Amino acid sequence: MMLLNDHRILFGAALGLFLFLTFYIAIIPAMENQAINQPLPRQAKILTKDERAGKMVYIENGCVGCHTQQVRNVEMDNVFGKRPSIPADYAINRRTDFWRNTANLMGTQRAGPDLTSVGERQPSAEWHLIHLFNPRAAIEASIMPSYEFLFIERDYLQPGDVEVKVPERFLKNKRKKIVATPKALQLVAYLKSLKQTDYTDKSIVPEFLYRQPKKEAGGGGSGGGNLPDGAELFTANCASCHQANGEGVPGAFPPLKGSPVVTGGDLELYVTIIMKGYDPRPEFATMPPVGTNANFTPEDVTAVINHERTSWGNNAKKITLEEVKVIMDKIK
């Protein structure tokens, strides 16, 4: 046979078959799949210029080596997102550049927590900047390396500088001002953009999403009734700054233990701080509107306040849901 006697025909036929199968089995199906691959309904917006630049800072510093961006369909991952991740979550991603494929940054290890919804769990830019400069300044037991090279020291602030209020004990020169570089600000912008699309609306939740467990009434020291667990809400939304022991971080985040705001009688101020944030104190970082960002209900606010007023040696009187509802209606 000519096919077997002429090596050029033999190898040409093999090459032709290989190319045909490559296009028919791999390339054409991939192109068809890409054409119908769409983001989820209500999918997060496309990254801004600074957020895209921050993603490149994230990549160049190897953050994917210790942080994942994928919520698994297991109970232990509930803390990282409201539902498990699916392929459509990454549909808005594009190629990194001409030479490099799409950077989904799903990761494989969790030396640090998953970052799928870190923009919701920690919306404070100042917290992220302090954490990047020295992770131990924000989380005492953190094993994350310091990224001091993303910051510069100045004797005096210049117009446009973003000062980072690092606690003094973490400064090499206490007279210097710590200023975030553009790369640090871009990285923080990217981290704050990481918010999982919310699908808690029961009318559109597919079967593969988490089933919300029923919470027992009166749990977590929240004052009884049908309130959620105040300790759980505090851990998820407040402990990263104020710490699990309520003592905060000196020079960065104020303590709740023994705080006159927590144990005092100005409930309207207390609720307003939780829902709208707080920034009158030059010695501490700005507090973001945690309650608004987390969509706190009056029940959530009541549970958190009662937890804080009765923990770490605080012995203040618990408040009622009705008191909080009146105040939240007033400050809307």
Side-chain angles (χ1 to χ4, degrees):
M1 294 178 61
M2 185 179 297
L3 177 64
L4 300 177
N5 292 333
D6 191 328
H7 69 280
R8 290 171 297 183
I9 297 177
L10 177 62
F11 285 106
L15 177 61
L17 179 62
F18 173 77
L19 293 176
F20 169 77
L21 293 175
T22 299
F23 275 91
Y24 186 74
I25 297 176
I27 296 179
I28 294 176
M31 293 174 64
E32 292 176 345
N33 184 65
Q34 188 64 29
I36 64 173
N37 186 25
Q38 298 295 329
L40 293 168
R42 304 203 310 248
Q43 180 60 284
K45 63 181 179 64
I46 302 297
L47 297 180
T48 65
K49 181 179 178 181
D50 280 343
E51 290 166 356
R52 289 197 305 272
K55 182 176 182 179
M56 298 308 299
V57 177
Y58 184 96
I59 292 171
E60 71 183 34
N61 283 283
C63 302
V64 70
C66 294
H67 294 283
T68 58
Q69 289 186 37
Q70 53 173 315
V71 182
R72 301 170 300 176
N73 191 15
V74 293
E75 186 177 354
M76 66 181 293
D77 276 16
N78 287 6
V79 67
F80 297 130
K82 296 183 177 68
R83 58 174 178 79
S85 299
I86 58 175
D89 282 318
Y90 310 95
I92 62 173
N93 290 342
R94 297 293 180 265
R95 292 185 67 88
T96 302
D97 52 38
F98 179 80
W99 302 107
R100 290 177 290 181
N101 203 348
T102 305
N104 288 327
L105 306 178
M106 297 173 68
T108 58
Q109 298 187 64
R110 283 183 181 162
D114 183 88
L115 301 181
T116 298
S117 287
V118 69
E120 292 180 339
R121 297 200 308 271
Q122 188 47 265
S124 169
E126 292 188 70
W127 185 92
H128 284 292
L129 290 170
I130 293 172
H131 184 244
L132 287 171
F133 182 83
N134 191 321
R136 264 65 60 191
I139 303 173
E140 186 175 357
S142 176
I143 61 171
M144 175 174 158
S146 171
Y147 288 83
E148 288 188 28
F149 57 86
L150 294 177
F151 302 84
I152 56 177
E153 292 184 341
R154 292 196 194 282
D155 292 320
Y156 303 98
L157 295 178
Q158 300 178 4
D161 281 348
V162 176
E163 183 184 5
V164 184
K165 298 175 181 177
V166 181
E168 286 190 357
R169 65 191 181 98
F170 295 99
L171 296 176
K172 297 175 182 176
N173 188 337
K174 297 181 181 180
R175 297 182 179 180
K176 296 285 187 179
K177 305 288 186 180
I178 305 300
V179 175
T181 64
K183 280 194 171 185
L185 296 175
Q186 290 165 350
L187 177 55
V188 170
Y190 171 66
L191 293 173
K192 290 180 63 181
S193 76
L194 297 177
K195 299 177 181 179
Q196 191 181 49
T197 305
D198 188 6
Y199 279 92
T200 54
D201 183 350
K202 301 298 186 295
S203 65
I204 60 174
V205 174
E207 293 183 359
F208 60 81
L209 300 186
Y210 290 133
R211 295 179 179 178
Q212 298 297 326
K214 294 182 179 179
K215 295 182 179 180
E216 297 181 3
S222 301
N226 293 319
L227 298 180
D229 190 321
E232 181 180 303
L233 286 169
F234 178 86
T235 299
N237 298 281
C238 314
S240 59
C241 291
H242 297 293
Q243 307 300 304
N245 58 12
E247 295 181 359
V249 177
F253 310 113
L256 301 182
K257 178 180 179 180
S259 167
V261 174
V262 174
T263 59
D266 193 345
L267 186 57
E268 183 173 337
L269 172 62
Y270 199 169
V271 174
T272 302
I273 289 174
I274 292 175
M275 296 304 298
K276 295 189 174 183
Y278 200 52
D279 187 27
R281 306 154 301 182
E283 70 273 22
F284 291 118
T286 301
M287 176 175 167
V290 174
T292 299
N293 292 334
N295 297 316
F296 271 9
T297 64
E299 290 79 4
D300 294 332
V301 175
T302 305
V304 169
I305 288 178
N306 283 338
H307 170 70
E308 294 175 354
R309 287 169 70 88
T310 58
S311 300
W312 319 300
N314 293 342
N315 192 27
K317 181 182 177 181
K318 290 184 178 181
I319 61 172
T320 65
L321 177 60
E322 287 69 28
E323 291 177 286
V324 174
K325 283 183 175 179
V326 171
I327 295 173
M328 289 185 68
D329 288 339
K330 179 179 178 181
I331 67 175
K332 279 185 179 178

